[in-house]
Amino acid sequence: MIRKIVERLHLDPPKILVLGFACIILLGTILLTLPSATVNGAGLPWLDALFTATSATCVTGLVVVDTGSTFTVFGQIVILSLIQIGGLGFMTFATFFALIMRKKISLRERLILQESLNQISIEGIVRLAKMILIFTALTELIGGILLSIRFAFDFPLGQAIYFGFFHAISNFNNAGFDLMGDFKSLTAYVEDPVVTLVVCALIVVGGIGFMVVSEVYDYRHTHRLSLHTKVVLATTALLILVGTMLIFALEYANPKTLQPLSMLGKVLGSLYQSVTARTAGSNTLSIGDMHQSSLFLIILLMFIGASPGSTGGGIKTTTFATLIGAVLAQIKGKEDVIFFRQRILPHIIYKSLTVTLIGLFIVIGITMALAITEPNAPFLMVLFEVTSAFATTGLSMGLTPELSHVGKFLIVLTMFAGRVGPLTIAFALAQRKQKEYIRFPKGKITIG
């Protein structure tokens, strides 16, 4: 039925992707307004339900109400389902059910799946979808078991298991929703190596991209990694290391964050905040109590985000690496951008610049709008919240629950654009170039 409607409307893959996410958000909004979704039995107001459903589906993690104390188990399961579908992409699940029903995956469906997973071609796309589902199930299972064992020391066994798997799924999908109550996330476990390292591992694995995971897994047989995988792994490691060192240095003497902690706690706290800023959203330090320098650093890390084809957002690590490579090449007077003895094609540099500028325009435009609708909010807090929404990170300085109705709706649009927009733009840019029959004469302008 749905396939026939799509064919009659002649929708291309980007439009189907946008429409699919919108339909999931709408369904989630309706479910969260039901009386059975909230503890008070009244259901969420429509705008708050829309905000929460969008945040979950776009795997952001920004919340206007506390997840642990506001929602019933039914409401929390709805949120968790939206996170899982939004993180992996609804087409991945559609493919899964089609394979179970032994239905053939059509060319159109493969193209939509390609768009959903942000892949260059449709070759091996169904195999990749199968791998994603299996890998996700195993990773979330292992993470859930480890967290359940740790939480069993603090909660009754049933609650510990529920908490363990909820936080494993939430963080693997880089969503950042938590059940700890009072908007405090995982701050009680800032010095706990088990929770910190397990959650960090889930965030990183979910954020490096499924194509990278597949190549790393196959490395034992192929003994080779693509340029994409090398750039993703190198950039991810560098950002985590630099972020950890800078947060450690900037927050070391802050009495509200790292200063009271042991040396191990300081390192774990710095590591967690560096990793989670790359679009995860949960936190072990109080974000609102961090120094302005640290907050600005986190804004930069959030804007860069995770890697292509992952559960995370942002402009992506490969985009950032390409732009840095282009800048260094210009400074050195070289024509080509070289990574691992391979030349980056000019059109990739143009795409990177386009994605970055569009992201900047969105962040600047929404920040300007919120500065008007929320005149009493500090500018850094507004910029932080908007960047978090665009990068689908979910970290918050505490402004989101205090937003006006217009402000909440603007953040909803930003989260949706941050999750769907870059994918659609990347797909559109990857389309076949039209042949130019007219070439204008060269012109020169002065730069700098």
Side-chain angles (χ1 to χ4, degrees), residues 65-87:
V65 294
D66 181 70
T67 307
S69 58
T70 303
F71 296 101
T72 60
V73 173
F74 169 75
Q76 292 168 3
I77 295 299
V78 169
I79 291 173
L80 198 62
S81 300
L82 294 174
I83 290 172
Q84 191 73 86
I85 295 172

Short mmCIF file of all heavy atoms in Angstrom, two decimals, residues 65-87:
data_model
loop_
_atom_site.label_atom_id
_atom_site.label_comp_id
_atom_site.label_asym_id
_atom_site.label_seq_id
_atom_site.Cartn_x
_atom_site.Cartn_y
_atom_site.Cartn_z
N VAL A 65 11.17 17.93 29.56
CA VAL A 65 10.74 17.32 30.81
C VAL A 65 11.70 16.19 31.14
O VAL A 65 12.32 15.61 30.24
CB VAL A 65 9.29 16.78 30.73
CG1 VAL A 65 8.28 17.90 30.54
CG2 VAL A 65 9.16 15.75 29.62
N ASP A 66 11.85 15.87 32.40
CA ASP A 66 12.78 14.81 32.80
C ASP A 66 12.21 13.45 32.40
O ASP A 66 11.08 13.10 32.75
CB ASP A 66 13.02 14.86 34.31
CG ASP A 66 13.99 13.79 34.75
OD1 ASP A 66 15.18 13.90 34.42
OD2 ASP A 66 13.55 12.83 35.41
N THR A 67 13.01 12.67 31.68
CA THR A 67 12.55 11.39 31.14
C THR A 67 12.23 10.39 32.24
O THR A 67 11.21 9.69 32.21
CB THR A 67 13.61 10.79 30.20
OG1 THR A 67 13.97 11.77 29.21
CG2 THR A 67 13.08 9.54 29.51
N GLY A 68 13.11 10.31 33.26
CA GLY A 68 12.96 9.30 34.30
C GLY A 68 11.77 9.50 35.20
O GLY A 68 11.11 8.52 35.61
N SER A 69 11.44 10.76 35.51
CA SER A 69 10.36 11.04 36.46
C SER A 69 9.03 11.40 35.81
O SER A 69 8.00 11.35 36.46
CB SER A 69 10.79 12.17 37.40
OG SER A 69 11.10 13.35 36.66
N THR A 70 9.04 11.75 34.53
CA THR A 70 7.82 12.19 33.86
C THR A 70 7.07 11.05 33.19
O THR A 70 5.84 10.99 33.25
CB THR A 70 8.14 13.26 32.80
OG1 THR A 70 8.81 14.36 33.42
CG2 THR A 70 6.87 13.75 32.11
N PHE A 71 7.80 10.12 32.58
CA PHE A 71 7.16 9.10 31.76
C PHE A 71 7.01 7.77 32.49
O PHE A 71 7.83 7.39 33.33
CB PHE A 71 7.97 8.87 30.49
CG PHE A 71 8.03 10.07 29.58
CD1 PHE A 71 9.16 10.88 29.57
CD2 PHE A 71 6.96 10.40 28.76
CE1 PHE A 71 9.22 11.99 28.74
CE2 PHE A 71 7.01 11.50 27.93
CZ PHE A 71 8.14 12.31 27.92
N THR A 72 5.93 7.08 32.14
CA THR A 72 5.73 5.71 32.61
C THR A 72 6.65 4.78 31.80
O THR A 72 7.32 5.23 30.87
CB THR A 72 4.27 5.27 32.40
OG1 THR A 72 3.97 5.34 30.99
CG2 THR A 72 3.32 6.18 33.16
N VAL A 73 6.63 3.50 32.14
CA VAL A 73 7.41 2.54 31.36
C VAL A 73 6.96 2.55 29.91
O VAL A 73 7.79 2.49 28.99
CB VAL A 73 7.29 1.12 31.96
CG1 VAL A 73 7.96 0.10 31.05
CG2 VAL A 73 7.90 1.08 33.36
N PHE A 74 5.66 2.68 29.67
CA PHE A 74 5.15 2.75 28.31
C PHE A 74 5.73 3.95 27.58
O PHE A 74 6.21 3.84 26.43
CB PHE A 74 3.62 2.84 28.31
CG PHE A 74 3.03 3.17 26.96
CD1 PHE A 74 2.96 2.21 25.96
CD2 PHE A 74 2.55 4.45 26.68
CE1 PHE A 74 2.42 2.51 24.72
CE2 PHE A 74 2.02 4.77 25.44
CZ PHE A 74 1.95 3.79 24.46
N GLY A 75 5.71 5.11 28.20
CA GLY A 75 6.26 6.32 27.59
C GLY A 75 7.74 6.20 27.32
O GLY A 75 8.23 6.63 26.27
N GLN A 76 8.47 5.58 28.25
CA GLN A 76 9.91 5.39 28.08
C GLN A 76 10.21 4.42 26.94
O GLN A 76 11.17 4.61 26.19
CB GLN A 76 10.52 4.91 29.38
CG GLN A 76 10.49 5.96 30.50
CD GLN A 76 10.83 5.37 31.86
OE1 GLN A 76 11.15 4.19 32.00
NE2 GLN A 76 10.76 6.21 32.89
N ILE A 77 9.39 3.37 26.81
CA ILE A 77 9.57 2.42 25.72
C ILE A 77 9.29 3.08 24.37
O ILE A 77 9.97 2.80 23.36
CB ILE A 77 8.66 1.18 25.90
CG1 ILE A 77 9.08 0.39 27.14
CG2 ILE A 77 8.71 0.29 24.67
CD1 ILE A 77 10.49 -0.14 27.10
N VAL A 78 8.30 3.97 24.33
CA VAL A 78 8.03 4.72 23.10
C VAL A 78 9.26 5.53 22.72
O VAL A 78 9.70 5.53 21.55
CB VAL A 78 6.81 5.64 23.28
CG1 VAL A 78 6.69 6.61 22.09
CG2 VAL A 78 5.53 4.83 23.39
N ILE A 79 9.83 6.23 23.69
CA ILE A 79 11.02 7.04 23.44
C ILE A 79 12.18 6.17 22.98
O ILE A 79 12.89 6.50 22.02
CB ILE A 79 11.41 7.83 24.71
CG1 ILE A 79 10.37 8.90 25.01
CG2 ILE A 79 12.80 8.46 24.57
CD1 ILE A 79 10.56 9.62 26.32
N LEU A 80 12.37 5.03 23.64
CA LEU A 80 13.47 4.13 23.28
C LEU A 80 13.28 3.58 21.87
O LEU A 80 14.26 3.44 21.11
CB LEU A 80 13.54 2.98 24.29
CG LEU A 80 14.85 2.19 24.34
CD1 LEU A 80 16.00 3.10 24.75
CD2 LEU A 80 14.74 1.03 25.30
N SER A 81 12.05 3.28 21.49
CA SER A 81 11.76 2.79 20.14
C SER A 81 12.06 3.86 19.10
O SER A 81 12.63 3.57 18.04
CB SER A 81 10.29 2.35 20.03
OG SER A 81 10.00 1.32 20.95
N LEU A 82 11.69 5.09 19.39
CA LEU A 82 11.98 6.19 18.48
C LEU A 82 13.49 6.38 18.33
O LEU A 82 13.99 6.65 17.23
CB LEU A 82 11.34 7.49 18.99
CG LEU A 82 9.81 7.54 19.00
CD1 LEU A 82 9.33 8.83 19.66
CD2 LEU A 82 9.25 7.43 17.59
N ILE A 83 14.22 6.23 19.44
CA ILE A 83 15.68 6.35 19.39
C ILE A 83 16.28 5.28 18.49
O ILE A 83 17.14 5.56 17.65
CB ILE A 83 16.27 6.23 20.82
CG1 ILE A 83 15.93 7.47 21.64
CG2 ILE A 83 17.78 6.05 20.76
CD1 ILE A 83 16.30 7.35 23.12
N GLN A 84 15.83 4.05 18.66
CA GLN A 84 16.37 2.94 17.87
C GLN A 84 16.06 3.10 16.39
O GLN A 84 16.93 2.92 15.54
CB GLN A 84 15.80 1.61 18.39
CG GLN A 84 16.49 0.38 17.82
CD GLN A 84 17.86 0.15 18.39
OE1 GLN A 84 18.02 -0.46 19.42
NE2 GLN A 84 18.90 0.67 17.71
N ILE A 85 14.82 3.45 16.08
CA ILE A 85 14.44 3.64 14.67
C ILE A 85 15.16 4.84 14.08
O ILE A 85 15.69 4.79 12.97
CB ILE A 85 12.91 3.82 14.55
CG1 ILE A 85 12.19 2.54 14.98
CG2 ILE A 85 12.53 4.18 13.12
CD1 ILE A 85 10.69 2.68 15.07
N GLY A 86 15.21 5.93 14.83
CA GLY A 86 15.87 7.14 14.34
C GLY A 86 17.36 6.96 14.17
O GLY A 86 17.97 7.49 13.24
N GLY A 87 17.98 6.20 15.09
CA GLY A 87 19.41 6.01 15.03
C GLY A 87 19.85 5.18 13.85
O GLY A 87 20.81 5.51 13.14
#
